[in-house]
Amino acid sequence: MEKRFECDRTALRQSRITFWFYVVSIPIIIFLFLLPFIRAGQFVFSPYSIVYIGIILYLIYAGYRSMLVMNSIKHSYCAVEGDRISGVSTPDPYKKAIPFELDRRDILGIGKTTVSAGGMRSHPALVINTADQKIVLLTIEHVDELKQELDKRETQE
């Protein structure tokens, strides 16, 4: 019987809110940047223009990074079926996730950690250490239940 642990829906919802905050903020700041041009009919380059351009570039950058985090959270899962464990490892939420499949006897240790997602935001993660890789399961639902499932099977051997 396969037990499947998906991403935490609360973390996914929070990452979507963050992403949409940046997406909605970009047109507002662009409108405020262009408002003097709309009113006066001519564009005057000033120190405020540099600040607005900096804010717009930061919002685009932060929006892109929040989209990467949102996709990493959305694709995270872990499936436990007998002695086989499979899922998606996300050691860095800004890089591509890596699918994995391993045998239960390859596990050397299991622990919990937090993965930084920029600024002051971090997400909980379960770490499975093997001899040749470190598997990070980002924002998996029921982390304690998954950890107990892996520990329980480990002690039965």
Side-chain angles (χ1 to χ4, degrees), residues 84-101:
R84 300 298 297 163
I85 301 165
S86 61
V88 176
S89 175
T90 313
D92 184 359
Y94 302 115
K95 294 183 181 171
K96 190 173 181 179
I98 306 160
F100 71 91
E101 189 170 320

Side-chain angles (χ1 to χ4, degrees), residues 52 69 72 99 139:
Y52 275 118
V69 171
S72 294
T139 65

Side-chain angles (χ1 to χ4, degrees), residues 40-88:
Q42 68 180 28
F43 182 76
V44 178
F45 194 73
S46 68
Y48 293 114
S49 302
I50 296 171
V51 171
Y52 275 118
I53 291 170
I55 291 171
I56 292 167
L57 292 175
Y58 171 76
L59 289 174
I60 292 170
Y61 173 74
Y64 173 71
R65 287 181 59 98
S66 68
M67 181 189 68
L68 293 175
V69 171
M70 181 179 64
N71 284 333
S72 294
I73 291 172
K74 188 184 340 179
H75 292 111
S76 66
Y77 81 94
C78 181
V80 179
E81 183 176 7
D83 285 342
R84 300 298 297 163
I85 301 165
S86 61
V88 176

Side-chain angles (χ1 to χ4, degrees), residues 9-151:
R9 296 293 174 199
T10 305
L12 182 60
R13 189 176 323 114
Q14 289 173 348
S15 67
R16 281 185 178 146
I17 290 169
T18 303
F19 171 72
W20 284 108
F21 169 78
Y22 290 122
V23 168
V24 169
S25 297
I26 292 169
I28 292 171
I29 296 298
I30 290 173
F31 175 75
L32 292 175
F33 176 67
L34 295 176
L35 190 61
F37 175 72
I38 294 169
R39 291 175 125 190
Q42 68 180 28
F43 182 76
V44 178
F45 194 73
S46 68
Y48 293 114
S49 302
I50 296 171
V51 171
Y52 275 118
I53 291 170
I55 291 171
I56 292 167
L57 292 175
Y58 171 76
L59 289 174
I60 292 170
Y61 173 74
Y64 173 71
R65 287 181 59 98
S66 68
M67 181 189 68
L68 293 175
V69 171
M70 181 179 64
N71 284 333
S72 294
I73 291 172
K74 188 184 340 179
H75 292 111
S76 66
Y77 81 94
C78 181
V80 179
E81 183 176 7
D83 285 342
R84 300 298 297 163
I85 301 165
S86 61
V88 176
S89 175
T90 313
D92 184 359
Y94 302 115
K95 294 183 181 171
K96 190 173 181 179
I98 306 160
F100 71 91
E101 189 170 320
L102 61 105
D103 209 24
R104 189 178 299 277
R105 63 181 158 262
D106 295 337
I107 297 175
L108 298 177
I110 302 166
K112 290 186 206 176
T113 188
T114 57
V115 175
S116 176
M120 298 186 317
R121 180 150 298 184
S122 61
H123 296 286
L126 185 72
V127 179
I128 302 172
N129 288 315
T130 64
D132 58 343
Q133 61 182 337
K134 177 181 172 182
I135 298 165
V136 180
L137 302 171
L138 185 67
T139 65
I140 295 291
E141 66 181 349
H142 311 296
V143 173
D144 294 326
E145 184 181 329
L146 175 59
K147 189 173 184 310
Q148 286 176 351
E149 179 73 21
L150 295 175
D151 284 338

